[in-house]
Amino acid sequence: MAPKRKRQLDNGSGDAVVPNTKRQKKSTQTDKEKKVTAAKRDLNKTEKNTIQYCHWLMKSEPDSRYENGVDVKFGIEDLKNCPNQTDCWDGVRNYQARNFMRDQMKIGHDVFFYHSNCKEPGIAGICKIVKESYVDHTQFDRKDPHYDRSAKPDNPRWFMVDVQYVRMLKRFIPLSELKQYHLRHKTEGGPLKGVALFTRARLSVQPLTQEEWDFILSLENEK
């Protein structure tokens, strides 16, 4: 974009007229202040009206994949085999996903464990939040695939929660099936019309409404 140029005013004689910059600056500043005030008001309004979720879908990879020589594989069976069937959910490097974990996840919240980046992605089981957000140590570990050189111990950027295995679903619910319901509900109306799995697909941590959770859970009884 071209740099802004100072505009000169002409009085008809060819001589440049020096504008009243003090008055213009004051007026411009006032307009900016109004915009900032309005933006803050809208932000506060948005924050007050933010939906508080208590059900979630969290994605992880069940198949081996190496980053910087480290296998990032972590499926629901891996969680099940952890001590006390509990582990930290580290490595989240998306700000919106981080904010969900840091600001909204509470002990006892239900989570669908979703297998991603595999031959057949979908929901494999259920876990629950057993420890609320705390600093993700992997951001400071130079050997970790999720190392963030800009993160500082006195000013951490990334957070995580602890999850505990609850149970496997009665049957695996594939992404393809969920997509069929999503498309149908978009047209005809239904619980999955706006589900984040398709409207915010890139998020690895996604919120679910009570209606969405109940509907998806009911699918495990379908043949």
Side-chain angles (χ1 to χ4, degrees), residues 140-153:
F140 310 123
D141 185 354
R142 293 179 180 272
K143 296 180 180 180
D144 194 276
H146 303 113
Y147 169 67
D148 184 346
R149 68 177 63 187
S150 62
K152 307 299 179 185

Side-chain angles (χ1 to χ4, degrees), residues 85-100:
Q85 298 184 322
T86 302
D87 203 1
C88 60
W89 200 277
D90 59 16
V92 172
R93 296 297 182 265
N94 173 280
Y95 285 108
Q96 189 172 16
R98 178 208 64 182
N99 291 349
F100 282 137

Side-chain angles (χ1 to χ4, degrees), residues 27-40:
S27 176
T28 303
Q29 185 66 31
T30 301
D31 290 341
K32 287 182 179 179
E33 288 175 349
K34 288 180 180 179
K35 291 179 180 179
V36 170
T37 301
K40 288 183 177 179

Side-chain angles (χ1 to χ4, degrees), residues 14-199:
D15 296 326
V17 177
V18 178
N20 188 338
T21 55
K22 185 175 181 180
R23 181 179 301 171
Q24 285 188 344
K25 184 176 181 180
K26 183 178 180 181
S27 176
T28 303
Q29 185 66 31
T30 301
D31 290 341
K32 287 182 179 179
E33 288 175 349
K34 288 180 180 179
K35 291 179 180 179
V36 170
T37 301
K40 288 183 177 179
R41 189 186 307 119
D42 291 341
L43 179 60
N44 291 335
K45 184 177 180 181
T46 300
E47 289 177 346
K48 289 180 180 179
N49 294 334
T50 298
I51 299 174
Q52 296 297 312
Y53 296 96
C54 59
H55 301 288
W56 306 91
L57 181 147
M58 299 174 78
K59 298 179 179 180
S60 192
E61 301 181 35
D63 298 334
S64 288
R65 182 174 67 83
Y66 288 84
E67 287 188 15
N68 300 332
V70 177
D71 192 354
V72 296
K73 170 185 180 294
F74 189 75
I76 195 168
E77 290 292 343
D78 297 300
L79 177 62
K80 189 177 180 180
N81 292 328
C82 288
N84 200 31
Q85 298 184 322
T86 302
D87 203 1
C88 60
W89 200 277
D90 59 16
V92 172
R93 296 297 182 265
N94 173 280
Y95 285 108
Q96 189 172 16
R98 178 208 64 182
N99 291 349
F100 282 137
M101 292 201 301
R102 184 191 64 188
D103 303 334
Q104 292 204 40
M105 284 189 173
K106 304 298 180 184
I107 292 175
H109 281 189
D110 298 314
V111 179
F112 281 133
F113 197 116
Y114 181 94
H115 283 171
S116 66
N117 198 22
C118 54
K119 185 175 181 180
E120 186 173 34
I123 301 173
I126 298 172
C127 54
K128 64 180 179 180
I129 306 300
V130 293
K131 183 175 180 179
E132 294 174 15
S133 69
Y134 60 105
V135 175
D136 182 346
H137 61 280
T138 64
Q139 65 192 299
F140 310 123
D141 185 354
R142 293 179 180 272
K143 296 180 180 180
D144 194 276
H146 303 113
Y147 169 67
D148 184 346
R149 68 177 63 187
S150 62
K152 307 299 179 185
D154 60 345
N155 186 27
R157 179 172 292 185
W158 307 107
F159 295 80
M160 61 186 181
V161 297
D162 284 359
V163 299
Q164 184 178 49
Y165 171 85
V166 174
R167 69 177 178 88
M168 302 294 290
L169 291 184
K170 295 177 183 177
R171 71 178 183 92
F172 183 83
I173 302 176
L175 175 65
S176 56
E177 180 179 342
L178 292 168
K179 186 173 183 178
Q180 289 178 354
Y181 281 109
H182 167 64
L183 294 175
R184 185 188 307 170
H185 291 179
K186 276 182 64 178
T187 303
E188 304 173 359
L192 299 192
K193 61 183 179 181
V195 68
L197 187 59
F198 301 103
T199 59

